[in-house]
Amino acid sequence: MTIRKLLIANRGEIAVRINRAARELGIRTVQAYSQADADSLAVRLADEAVEIGPAQAAKSYLNVDALIAAARSSGADAVHPGYGFLAESARFAEAVEQAGLVFVGPRGDTIRMMGDKVAARAAAAAAGVPTVPGSDGRIDSLPDALKLAEEIGYPVMIKAAAGGGGRGIRIAHDRAEFERFFQLAGTEAQTAFGDGGLYVEKVIERARHVEVQVLGDGTDAVHCFERECSLQRRRQKVWEEAPSAALDATKRRDLCQSAVALARSVGYRGAGTLEYLYDDRTGDFYFIEMNTRIQVEHPVTEFVTGIDLVREMLLIAGGQPLRLKQEDIALRGHAIEVRINAEDPAKDFMPFPGRIGELAVPGGPGARFDTMLYAGYQIPPFYDSLLGKLIVWDEDREHAIDRLKRALRELTIGGVKTTVPLHLALADDRDVRANDVHTRWLERWLETNGSRLG
């Protein structure tokens, strides 16, 4: 079937992004919104809008019944979940399909399998994809977990089987810490995810975070090369690049082919991302998890491949087979994305909601700003602090960083503190320029430099 009318079951910049892709395909859009988002840019841009409940996400963007009702009442025939909220909820995907609507994403059983970190590791191993040394499955007994930790060697991570986004992780450096954290992690996992299951993995020192974008139609799959997201704060990405400057051509080929093998083995449908840790001292890479949705950082892949990933998601969900063959997809240049949040980086990233005053958006060649802002917009205090994403492209990494600095200086968001000073400082940092970073680098850098980011 071809999608005629799409309910956008999300908010913020990703709702704006989905609206634009749908409109370009001739699909009418219906924006689902909470009472706090009645004045949002996404509501203004959509063909129609339906209120789904109060500001609290649990009563609006996480309310499956309200979203299904909104789709039915508006006559939508498909639902795009964006990222976050219900984007990786197997229950939501199945409820959409049981209502006779198209879910723009993978099937519920695929989301369920790949969302369970233990099942995802097993699927990766079955597809021949290397995984981080650790438990073969959930590990419930402290004595068994201790025995494994001492076999693979400290430090080790204790992770929630149903976790995600860096949540539910504890790192133990010795036996005493392991004994203490194991019980705590189980309790936290049960509270946060409704599932107290745990597993254990070896910590890869000085790892880089590299991830591969895939597209699948349920039968075949292709990759759109990799991104690197090693600059992280509290395991949340703040600066993303494509491609990874740490990989040579051979390693890139091996990594991307492993992602395609796994996507094909699970019959993946839609856009998805396979995340890896990469040890640039040994050249080894290890699968860690799969995100079964579009990701915040997808524009850097769009810049270096020229592919509109959201458009491809909508076409696949509408029943078309993959339009792209692997040989059609090529890398060109280098792209960087930084997340612009309403936070004060000089005060430990304290949230800073407010009313937007002057707004000046960067332009010129190779610059893109995905946002939900407009002058006079009152940022609601109920949601994520992400205001927008600044993405730049140039012929190589060095020029892309220079372009990023220029674009950051052009960006004016009046009325609130933002993370722009952080990104300007990073763009001038010697280690960042030399690409000598890893997933723990930024936390240590902030300990020394954070207070000077005002």
Side-chain angles (χ1 to χ4, degrees), residues 108 189 235 287:
R235 300 190 181 89
F287 169 80

Side-chain angles (χ1 to χ4, degrees), residues 284-304:
D284 295 325
F285 59 82
Y286 307 95
F287 169 80
I288 48 175
E289 65 181 40
M290 183 173 193
N291 296 134
T292 54
R293 54 174 166 77
I294 194 72
Q295 285 196 282
V296 179
E297 58 268 30
H298 75 275
V300 291
T301 295
E302 295 186 324
F303 250 143
V304 296

Side-chain angles (χ1 to χ4, degrees), residues 169-182:
I169 295 176
R170 294 283 182 133
I171 295 179
H173 295 84
D174 53 38
R175 182 185 180 97
E177 281 191 343
F178 191 92
E179 289 177 333
R180 186 164 73 253
F181 291 160
F182 191 80

Side-chain angles (χ1 to χ4, degrees), residues 85-279:
F85 294 127
L86 293 170
E88 293 183 280
S89 166
R91 185 171 72 89
F92 183 51
E94 289 166 351
V96 169
E97 296 198 337
Q98 286 166 7
L101 309 170
V102 172
F103 182 75
V104 183
R107 293 179 293 274
D109 56 354
T110 307
I111 296 173
R112 189 172 287 109
M113 176 172 63
M114 301 312 285
D116 183 305
K117 304 302 182 287
V118 173
R121 279 173 58 91
V129 180
T131 58
V132 179
S135 52
D136 292 331
R138 291 173 186 243
I139 193 160
D140 300 320
S141 148
L142 176 59
D144 289 346
L146 264 175
K147 181 180 178 185
L148 174 68
E150 295 187 356
E151 284 175 359
I152 62 178
Y154 295 103
V156 298
M157 281 191 288
I158 305 166
K159 304 176 75 171
R167 299 174 65 201
I169 295 176
R170 294 283 182 133
I171 295 179
H173 295 84
D174 53 38
R175 182 185 180 97
E177 281 191 343
F178 191 92
E179 289 177 333
R180 186 164 73 253
F181 291 160
F182 191 80
Q183 301 295 348
L184 283 173
T187 302
E188 288 174 358
Q190 183 64 42
T191 301
F193 308 112
D195 179 347
L198 300 174
Y199 68 105
V200 175
E201 276 183 359
K202 173 78 175 166
V203 171
I204 308 299
E205 301 282 4
R206 283 185 56 87
R208 289 174 178 269
H209 181 115
V210 180
E211 58 189 33
V212 180
Q213 176 73 58
V214 296
L215 286 169
D217 60 9
T219 302
D220 198 7
V222 295
H223 70 78
C224 301
F225 297 97
E226 84 285 353
R227 302 183 282 260
E228 178 163 351
C229 317
S230 295
L231 292 177
Q232 302 179 6
R233 174 179 172 270
R234 298 179 180 173
R235 300 190 181 89
Q236 299 293 316
K237 304 161 188 173
V238 300
W239 167 304
E240 295 114 345
E241 305 186 27
S244 168
L247 301 183
D248 60 24
T250 301
K251 194 59 65 179
R252 173 168 297 115
R253 180 201 61 202
D254 293 347
L255 180 75
C256 293
Q257 287 183 350
S258 79
V260 170
L262 180 50
R264 285 177 177 158
S265 73
V266 299
Y268 194 78
R269 183 185 72 193
T273 301
L274 292 95
E275 298 194 339
Y276 295 82
L277 294 178
Y278 177 62
D279 187 335

